[in-house]
Amino acid sequence: MSTTTRERIVDEAMHLFSQHGYAATSIVKIEAAAGLTPGAGGIYHHFPSKEAVLAAGIERRLSRLGALREIRNILGSLGDLKAELTLTARYVLAELDSESELLRILASDARNRPQLLTAAVEQLVSSTFTGFATWIGERAERPIPAEEASAIASFGLGSLLSTRLLRDVLGIPVQVEDEILVDTWVALMLAALSDPAAESGT
């Protein structure tokens, strides 16, 4: 079995799924895009079904995003909370940009293929939020209960995610440049994690 052909099938299929949706993308279209003879069934030498192609594509994309799910380990401690938050925002936005096709597939087909895509959302989103909430609890300048840390993480990562969903999924033009977005996001997160008593000198 040709690994190159298999990877090309997955790449082209994910592109088609993101542009037209899973249901509207036929095996014939995937074969044509991947350079196989359309309608000849060549795809079945590599995958038993169209859903298997989707599963392989999601698995590959999630493996690329594995580092994002380990956000707590990536951040570590630079000894500067502002620098760590800035790194977080830039990193998350860059990873989301690199997987815009996956975002579109998840947004358009999650209801129609719940088992496969729900698991993908769980891996991509839930574990990332949990890791970020744990990091917040460790790095905040004040004691933060677990529930509050989770709420801050939801606000923080959710706001970054929404900018990409609005642009890449809904086609809404960017409202603010990334540099300003990151600076504002960092300022808001610092305010949420700071110790008011320390700032007031009491």
Side-chain angles (χ1 to χ4, degrees):
M1 180 174 62
S2 172
T3 301
T4 300
T5 300
R6 179 184 172 89
E7 291 178 351
R8 189 167 65 248
I9 290 170
V10 171
D11 287 340
E12 295 299 337
M14 292 297 281
H15 179 69
L16 290 170
F17 293 153
S18 73
Q19 294 296 316
H20 308 293
Y22 176 86
T25 301
S26 66
I27 288 290
V28 172
K29 288 180 180 178
I30 296 173
E31 288 177 332
L36 303 175
T37 303
I43 196 171
Y44 295 112
H45 293 295
H46 307 278
F47 297 95
S49 65
K50 184 172 73 169
E51 183 163 329
V53 178
L54 176 61
I58 290 174
E59 181 180 357
R60 180 190 296 179
R61 298 302 173 88
L62 288 178
S63 67
R64 293 175 183 172
L65 288 172
L68 183 58
R69 299 196 302 274
E70 299 297 329
I71 192 170
R72 183 181 168 203
N73 296 332
I74 291 170
L75 289 173
S77 178
L78 301 175
D80 182 337
L81 185 57
K82 182 177 180 180
E84 292 168 10
L85 288 167
T86 301
L87 175 63
T88 299
R90 290 177 178 167
Y91 179 75
V92 169
L93 291 175
E95 289 299 301
L96 291 173
D97 285 342
S98 72
E99 294 301 340
S100 58
E101 286 187 352
L102 178 60
L103 287 180
R104 287 195 292 271
I105 293 170
L106 294 178
S108 65
D109 287 307
R111 290 184 178 179
N112 299 325
R113 316 207 65 75
Q115 293 182 336
L116 186 60
L117 296 179
T118 297
V121 171
E122 175 69 23
Q123 289 186 58
L124 175 60
V125 178
S126 299
S127 57
T128 305
F129 275 63
T130 300
F132 190 45
T134 301
W135 180 84
I136 284 172
E138 295 170 348
R139 292 292 291 122
E141 296 175 351
R142 62 183 176 85
I144 293 184
E147 287 187 358
E148 184 181 354
S150 294
I152 294 172
S154 295
F155 159 78
L157 292 181
S159 61
L160 296 176
L161 178 60
S162 69
T163 65
R164 277 12 189 193
L165 289 175
L166 289 172
R167 185 193 70 188
D168 297 336
V169 177
L170 299 180
I172 297 176
V174 174
Q175 301 297 311
V176 61
E177 295 298 324
D178 278 358
E179 184 176 352
I180 298 174
L181 172 67
V182 169
D183 288 346
T184 304
W185 185 87
V186 169
L188 290 171
M189 293 295 291
L190 282 173
L193 303 181
S194 65
D195 184 352
E199 292 182 358
S200 64
T202 58

